[in-house]
Amino acid sequence: MRIDRFLQINTLYSRQTVRRLIAEQRVRVDSVTVSDPRYEITEFCRVELDAQLLQSTQARYYMLHKPPGVVSATEHAEHTTVLDLLAPPLREGLHIAGRLDLKTTGLLLLTNDGKWSRRITQPEEKVPKVYRVQTKDPVAPETAAVFARGIYFGYENITTSPAQLQLLDSHTARLTIYEGRYHQVKRMFGHLENEVVGLHRERMGGIVLDPGLQPGEYRPLSLAEIHAF
Ligand code: URA
């Protein structure tokens, strides 16, 4: 948003007054005086007018090792949510960047930065998501080729992007997909009439689940991890 618009909304000064305040060098963004009313700010810029602090929201990013039986939602009537696993002062304003099903375990990302989470979750961005999959029946020999061609999902009327399958043993595989459609991995195996009995997310783009995190534990992302998208 432009700084003049932000000031109009947040101070209720007229457009003319806002322009004057900016021209008088009374507005600072991230500790630097702004002189252009068209200057673009984000929700995470610190904005001051004279000595008055108008905005100072910190962008926050966490990885959490999701345990089974915890729901990927911010509120739920029956189940513990992933937000319940965080210390109460940290929960405010966070949302999930790419949900996991109730029984699925592994890497879950939480943030208050909507632009960042959209870069991870929007199918057009083609961010790789890597899962370890356990199946009820042996993984059929044609599975890798079928997944590499893509599978048609009638409900969404899309064909999944080419996915890579690496067989780890007869009933276990590592699967890399590039979208995050509803129950995507289960539906892909379902297409070959095999049932997923265990699912664990190991990686999203450049962010790998920290092996030091036990199920239910979390930590802030490093700068390098935040910038991995
Ligand atoms: N695909 C699924 O089917 N479930 C998940 O939790 C994640 C991907």
Side-chain angles (χ1 to χ4, degrees):
M1 183 191 293
R2 282 169 51 145
I3 185 67
D4 55 354
R5 179 97 188 103
F6 171 90
L7 289 168
Q8 267 182 269
I9 294 168
N10 288 279
T11 63
L12 305 180
Y13 285 135
S14 69
R15 192 178 148 89
Q16 228 180 354
T17 308
V18 160
R19 290 203 159 219
R20 182 171 53 75
L21 293 169
I22 294 170
E24 288 171 359
Q25 312 227 314
R26 291 166 62 183
V27 178
R28 280 150 51 95
V29 175
D30 292 336
S31 307
V32 176
T33 302
V34 168
S35 50
D36 184 352
R38 292 165 305 178
Y39 188 86
E40 289 284 334
I41 62 161
T42 72
E43 62 195 300
F44 301 117
C45 289
R46 180 185 168 88
V47 183
E48 294 161 283
L49 169 62
D50 297 329
Q52 195 186 351
L53 184 58
L54 297 178
Q55 177 178 277
S56 67
T57 311
Q58 290 280 328
R60 292 178 300 126
Y61 310 86
Y62 300 94
M63 74 160 71
L64 177 124
H65 185 163
K66 181 189 170 300
V70 172
V71 73
S72 290
T74 49
E75 284 175 30
H76 200 275
E78 278 170 58
H79 295 286
T80 303
T81 71
V82 289
L83 273 201
D84 293 332
L85 300 175
L86 270 72
L90 301 181
R91 294 176 194 165
E92 179 68 32
L94 292 185
H95 62 267
I96 299 158
R99 296 188 216 196
L100 292 173
D101 295 339
L102 188 65
K103 288 187 188 163
T104 305
T105 59
L107 176 65
L108 196 82
L109 299 174
L110 295 142
T111 183
N112 60 349
D113 183 346
K115 211 167 152 191
W116 187 82
S117 58
R118 276 193 293 281
R119 282 209 297 276
I120 299 170
T121 54
Q122 285 188 348
E124 307 76 52
E125 301 287 342
K126 304 236 174 279
V127 170
K129 285 111 186 166
V130 182
Y131 293 88
R132 199 173 62 242
V133 191
Q134 274 181 296
T135 55
K136 186 170 175 203
D137 298 320
V139 178
E142 70 274 22
T143 309
V146 171
F147 288 2
R149 277 201 298 275
I151 293 171
Y152 178 68
F153 283 177
Y155 181 72
E156 296 94 338
N157 190 26
I158 57 111
T159 299
T160 55
S161 297
Q164 288 94 45
L165 188 86
Q166 178 195 4
L167 202 59
L168 301 176
D169 65 40
S170 61
H171 290 69
T172 315
R174 179 166 289 122
L175 176 66
T176 304
I177 59 173
Y178 295 87
E179 309 100 331
R181 304 280 175 191
Y182 180 68
H183 291 333
Q184 180 163 343
V185 175
K186 290 175 188 154
R187 289 162 77 194
M188 288 171 74
F189 278 90
H191 183 81
L192 293 169
E193 294 177 4
N194 201 349
E195 191 186 326
V196 171
V197 292
L199 190 56
H200 177 84
R201 186 155 64 198
E202 299 178 329
R203 181 163 77 80
M204 294 175 87
I207 303 184
V208 178
L209 178 64
D210 187 332
L213 290 180
Q214 297 305 308
E217 291 184 342
Y218 60 92
R219 68 155 170 83
L221 295 187
S222 67
L223 270 185
E225 287 167 334
I226 295 164
H227 293 297
F229 290 103

